[in-house]
Amino acid sequence: SSNSLTAFSMEAVQAVQNFAEIRRKSKFIDQLLQPEIFKFVEIDRASGDSKVAIELDQCAFSWGTDKFAIAPTTLAVKAGELVMIVGRVGSGKSSFVTALCGEMPISGGSGKVHGRIGYVEQKPTILDGTLRENVLMGQDFDEKLFWQVIEACDLAEDIRAMPEGDLTKVGARGLKLSGGQKTRVALASGIIGTKTRILVTHASHVLPLGNTIITFVDGCAHIVEQIPNDAVAASALSDGEKDADSDSSDHGTPTSTNNKMSPNPDKISFDNPPVKWSHMLQFLRYSKYWRVAAVMSVYLVNAYMLHYVSNARLRLMTDTNPDTAMRSLQQYLKINALVAIGGYQLRVLGSWSLDYLWVKPLMGTLRVESVNVLLHAPLSQMEYIPRS
C-alpha cells in the first residue's frame, strides 16, 4: 500500500543518515574501543603490596611519528625506594614521568607499574571540599599517617591557622588557599599511601638521598644505583638552602613537570573512513544476538504477511468467474479487515520490541562501556576530542 511504501521510504532515509553518521565517527570509535592501537604502561592498582614498584623491559616511548621519543629503558624499582630524575630542560624528564602514569604511548618493549600512583604537577588540581578530603582523595583516614604526611609537607602551621583545621573548606579550585598551600596540599595527596617516590629535580644537593639516579640526555636514560647517604644529603641540603636566595634556578622547588616540552600525540582523525565489519560485529555483541533475532523476527513476519496478503488480494481482484466472484469479494473484505487489525498489532509489537527489547538495553550497555572507556583513556587523547 501507499502508506507502507511511504513508511518504508522514511525508514530507508533514516537508515542512510544513521549509516553516514557511523561512517563519520567510526575511526574515533575504533581508536577508543581497540586498545591495541595505543599501548601504554600497564598499571596494576590491585598489587599495592608487590615488592617491585616499577618494571620496564627495553621499554621505549614516543608521542608519535617524527615526534619526541624516549629510548628503550630497562628499569626495576623496588617498593619503598626513592628515585631521582635529573636532566636539562627538554631532555625527557616530564615525558618519562608521564609515561609511567600511562599517558605516553609505548613504541617498544613492555612496562608495568604496581600500586597506586600519585602525580604532583606544577599546576595542582584542588577539589571543592575540605583540606582533608583533598589530601585523602577518597582513601581511608589514618590519623597517624595523615599527620605524618602533613608535617612532612609543611602544612601543620597552615592548618593551625585555619578556622576549622583540616576540615576547613578550601573553596572551588582551592580559592581560599595560596599558591604555595595548593602545591603542598597536592604534594601531600600524592605521597599519602604511596611507598615508592620519584622526584624530578634540578637540586643536585638532594641526590644522595636517592636509591636510584636517572639522568636524561635527549631522551636517553642513564641509570645509576646507589646506597642513600643521609649525612651527605643533610650537609648538602643546608648548604643548598643558604644559596637558594642567590640562585633559585639551580635549587628550585622539586617538581614533576620542569620540561617545557608539550605532549603532542597523534590527533584523533574525524574523517569519513569506510565502516569496518568489526564495528558491526561489536555493535551486535553489545545488542545481544537473541535480542536482534527477536526484533528482526517480528519485522520479518510483518513483511511476509504483507507480501502474502498482496498476492491474495491480486488473485481475488482478478477473479472473473461469476459463480465465485461474490465469495471472492467477501474474502477480500475479510482479508482487508484482518490485515488492518493484524498489521496494527504487529506494528505495535515491532515498535515495542525495538524500543524496550533492543534500543533501551543497548543504550544502557553503550553508556556503561563508553564511560568505562573514557575514564580509562589517557588524558592526552581526551585533549583532542571536540567539545561539540
Side-chain angles (χ1 to χ4, degrees):
S1 63
S2 60
N3 292 336
S4 299
L5 183 59
T6 302
F8 175 77
S9 301
M10 293 176 63
E11 292 291 337
V13 171
Q14 184 64 38
V16 171
Q17 293 176 351
N18 293 338
F19 190 76
E21 185 71 12
I22 292 175
R23 282 176 56 86
R24 190 175 71 85
K25 296 185 177 179
S26 60
K27 187 174 183 179
F28 171 65
I29 296 172
D30 190 44
Q31 289 178 332
L32 280 182
L33 299 182
Q34 295 187 16
E36 63 270 12
I37 294 181
F38 294 109
K39 181 182 177 183
F40 299 90
V41 168
E42 179 184 356
I43 300 176
D44 186 4
R45 294 178 176 84
S47 59
D49 297 331
S50 174
K51 294 182 180 180
V52 179
I54 301 173
E55 297 177 286
L56 300 180
D57 183 13
Q58 288 295 307
C59 195
F61 304 94
S62 175
W63 288 119
T65 306
D66 298 330
K67 296 182 175 67
F68 184 83
I70 295 178
T73 304
T74 298
L75 175 66
V77 178
K78 297 179 181 178
E81 289 188 343
L82 174 60
V83 179
M84 301 287 191
I85 300 180
V86 295
R88 293 181 179 275
V89 173
S91 60
K93 304 187 301 298
S94 294
S95 293
F96 182 71
V97 174
T98 302
L100 294 180
C101 293
E103 297 292 334
M104 187 175 184
I106 292 178
S107 58
S110 61
K112 188 172 185 179
V113 175
H114 300 270
R116 173 182 176 270
I117 295 177
Y119 179 49
V120 184
E121 54 185 348
Q122 280 183 332
K123 296 181 179 179
T125 301
I126 305 297
L127 304 180
D128 185 7
T130 65
L131 186 141
R132 179 188 293 183
E133 290 172 343
N134 275 277
V135 172
L136 295 178
M137 287 294 182
Q139 297 187 82
D140 295 332
F141 178 65
D142 184 334
E143 186 174 3
K144 182 179 179 180
L145 175 62
F146 177 81
W147 288 109
Q148 285 178 345
V149 172
I150 292 298
E151 291 287 347
C153 295
D154 199 22
L155 278 170
E157 290 296 330
D158 298 307
I159 290 178
R160 294 190 188 99
M162 293 179 180
E164 298 181 40
D166 62 312
L167 297 180
T168 301
K169 295 280 187 178
V170 298
R173 299 183 180 180
L175 184 64
K176 298 180 180 179
L177 300 178
S178 66
Q181 288 174 333
K182 291 179 183 178
T183 301
R184 294 196 293 274
V185 169
L187 180 61
S189 174
I191 66 176
I192 192 167
T194 58
K195 299 178 181 179
T196 307
R197 295 135 296 155
I198 300 177
L199 178 64
V200 180
T201 181
H202 292 298
S204 58
H205 57 276
V206 300
L207 296 183
L209 291 172
N211 300 92
T212 302
I213 310 297
I214 304 177
T215 304
F216 273 94
V217 179
D218 296 331
C220 296
H222 303 274
I223 302 172
V224 177
E225 296 184 358
Q226 65 179 17
I227 299 176
N229 192 328
D230 296 346
V232 174
S235 176
L237 182 60
S238 62
D239 295 337
E241 289 176 348
K242 294 178 182 178
D243 299 334
D245 296 334
S246 61
D247 190 2
S248 59
S249 63
D250 291 337
H251 304 288
T253 302
T255 177
S256 295
T257 55
N258 290 330
N259 290 353
K260 296 182 180 178
M261 187 169 42
S262 59
N264 189 20
D266 290 336
K267 292 185 179 181
I268 297 175
S269 174
F270 287 85
D271 296 332
N272 294 336
V275 177
K276 298 181 181 179
W277 283 108
S278 59
H279 297 152
M280 298 301 179
L281 292 176
Q282 194 166 31
F283 180 79
L284 292 177
R285 284 198 296 269
Y286 286 149
S287 302
K288 303 294 184 184
Y289 295 116
W290 68 270
R291 295 179 186 273
V292 177
V295 174
M296 295 303 296
S297 297
V298 174
Y299 282 92
L300 288 175
V301 169
N302 189 25
Y304 177 76
M305 185 188 73
L306 291 176
H307 174 72
Y308 176 79
V309 168
S310 297
N311 290 336
R313 283 175 173 175
L314 184 62
R315 289 196 304 270
L316 294 174
M317 292 177 64
T318 56
D319 187 2
T320 57
N321 189 341
D323 298 332
T324 59
M326 183 59 66
R327 186 170 65 245
S328 297
L329 178 60
Q330 293 175 348
Q331 291 180 354
Y332 177 81
L333 295 175
K334 290 178 181 179
I335 289 176
N336 270 344
L338 291 176
V339 167
I341 297 174
Y344 174 77
Q345 297 295 334
L346 283 176
R347 285 194 298 273
V348 170
L349 179 60
S351 178
W352 178 89
S353 61
L354 181 63
D355 290 339
Y356 293 93
L357 198 61
W358 187 354
V359 175
K360 289 189 175 181
L362 176 61
M363 289 173 59
T365 301
L366 291 178
R367 186 182 299 111
V368 172
E369 291 293 331
S370 299
V371 171
N372 183 60
V373 168
L374 290 174
L375 289 178
H376 289 83
L379 292 178
S380 56
Q381 283 186 327
M382 297 301 101
E383 292 177 358
Y384 296 101
I385 297 180
R387 294 183 181 275
S388 58

